[in-house]
Amino acid sequence: MNGGPSGFNNAPVTRAFVITSVLFTVFLGIRGGGGGSSSKLALSYQDVFEKFRIWKLIKSSFAFSSTSELLFGVYLLYYFRVFERQIGSNKHSVFILFSGFVSLILQTIVLSLFKANLLTSGPYALIFASFVPFCLDIPVSKRFNVFGLHFSDKSFIYLAGVQLLLSSWKRSMLPGICGIIAGSLYRLNIFGIRKAKLPGIIASFFSRMSLPSSSSHSQAPRRTSPSLGRQAVRSYQAPIPSSIEPSEEAIATLVSMGFDQNAARQALVHARNDVNAATNILLEAHSH
């Protein structure tokens, strides 16, 4: 599962966030050296309320404490770009700010109540808040068994999340759990947050922060024409039983990636409701 067409097409906010996290980690975290960098970046109650270290608060929101956390974190951020494509960059910016703010408040409350020490750094709030819509909104397209255990194509994302959640044990579990709570509150539309939007100039700031796309040609256009769907159908000659009807969730997933609804429906029919295979059919048709 790669969250749709490769690259950051139609996901400029996610692209800016990933680039910022990588740069902060390389120059402020990993480069700082070993375990010392972990303590240097980690957030404490004193940093927020007593010493009011705004710069450290910003660093701890972006920079991961280790190379392994960076790899798993960037992988998850890259996959979750599908949500920006689904709700738009403006609302996704609101989601990032809301999850970060709520997670920070929850962490500081726990720090003050339990006299906890340092918390691991990194964008745990955004990553684990994104697991809420991932669990509830992304359909399973494939299931398989390994040694008698049942898995799906979503299992790989969950495994990466568990690895990141337990990367620093107690220091990473609290930020992760707070992120999940923040994502749940957003899902419940507390204070009507899901309808909130940022001024256009603020939302576009993230786009200017990020580097240009590696390719000026999008693999998947924002809207493919119905004729493209017919072309995709003709290019896939395998006989398909007429009883297979694409699920609305699968159609919505392809539409959120930028494909035309009719083209998505036809591709899903020929792919036997397999979202990944349908995506490949549409991309192949577009390349012709």
Side-chain angles (χ1 to χ4, degrees):
M1 297 178 66
N2 61 2
S6 61
F8 290 100
N9 299 306
N10 300 326
V13 175
T14 302
R15 177 176 57 189
F17 205 98
V18 169
I19 292 173
T20 304
S21 293
V22 172
L23 293 178
F24 270 54
T25 303
V26 171
F27 290 101
L28 301 176
I30 298 175
R31 193 174 179 180
S37 64
S38 176
S39 300
K40 183 179 179 180
L41 291 172
L43 189 66
S44 67
Y45 174 80
Q46 291 77 11
D47 292 327
V48 179
F49 290 102
E50 294 183 2
K51 300 180 181 179
F52 205 60
R53 294 176 176 174
I54 299 298
W55 174 238
K56 187 170 183 181
L57 178 62
I58 296 175
K59 289 192 296 183
S60 66
S61 299
F62 288 98
F64 290 98
S65 300
S66 65
T67 304
S68 61
E69 292 177 43
L70 174 65
L71 294 176
F72 283 100
V74 168
Y75 169 72
L76 291 170
L77 288 171
Y78 178 73
Y79 175 80
F80 288 145
R81 73 198 187 284
V82 66
F83 298 126
E84 181 178 354
R85 292 171 174 170
Q86 185 176 24
I87 66 177
S89 298
N90 195 307
K91 287 189 176 182
H92 190 65
S93 301
V94 174
F95 175 72
I96 292 175
L97 294 175
F98 177 82
S99 59
F101 177 77
V102 172
S103 179
L104 176 62
I105 295 298
L106 293 175
Q107 289 181 59
T108 52
I109 291 175
V110 174
L111 285 172
S112 61
L113 291 178
F114 297 96
K115 308 298 182 181
N117 293 323
L118 300 176
L119 297 178
T120 191
S121 63
Y124 280 72
L126 173 59
I127 292 173
F128 286 95
S130 299
F131 269 101
V132 176
F134 172 75
C135 176
L136 300 176
D137 298 334
I138 299 297
V140 173
S141 59
K142 289 184 179 180
R143 298 182 185 274
F144 54 93
N145 295 328
V146 177
F147 300 115
L149 300 177
H150 300 284
F151 294 94
S152 71
D153 50 353
K154 296 176 65 173
S155 300
F156 299 105
I157 305 299
Y158 286 124
L159 289 175
V162 171
Q163 170 64 31
L164 188 62
L165 183 67
L166 302 179
S167 58
S168 298
W169 193 227
K170 294 181 179 179
R171 293 174 52 198
S172 57
M173 285 188 66
L174 178 59
I177 293 173
C178 291
I180 294 174
I181 296 175
S184 301
L185 292 176
Y186 183 88
R187 175 78 181 187
L188 293 173
N189 198 25
I190 299 297
F191 304 121
I193 188 63
R194 296 178 67 176
K195 296 182 180 180
K197 287 187 177 181
L198 295 177
I201 188 173
I202 298 178
S204 63
F205 173 73
F206 291 100
S207 301
R208 292 194 294 269
M209 284 177 56
S210 59
L211 298 175
S213 298
S214 57
S215 172
S216 59
H217 303 288
S218 172
Q219 283 188 304
R222 290 191 177 184
R223 286 291 181 268
T224 55
S225 63
S227 62
L228 178 58
R230 291 191 292 270
Q231 181 182 354
V233 169
R234 290 195 299 269
S235 65
Y236 194 84
Q237 300 297 331
I240 305 299
S242 58
S243 60
I244 294 180
E245 179 66 22
S247 66
E248 293 301 323
E249 293 84 0
I251 295 174
T253 299
L254 291 177
V255 170
S256 70
M257 296 177 187
F259 296 112
D260 176 75
Q261 185 173 9
N262 292 331
R265 182 182 296 276
Q266 295 181 49
L268 283 167
V269 169
H270 283 264
R272 294 179 173 85
N273 209 35
D274 187 324
V275 175
N276 291 332
T279 301
N280 292 332
I281 292 174
L282 292 169
L283 291 176
E284 182 180 356
H286 177 68
S287 65
H288 296 322

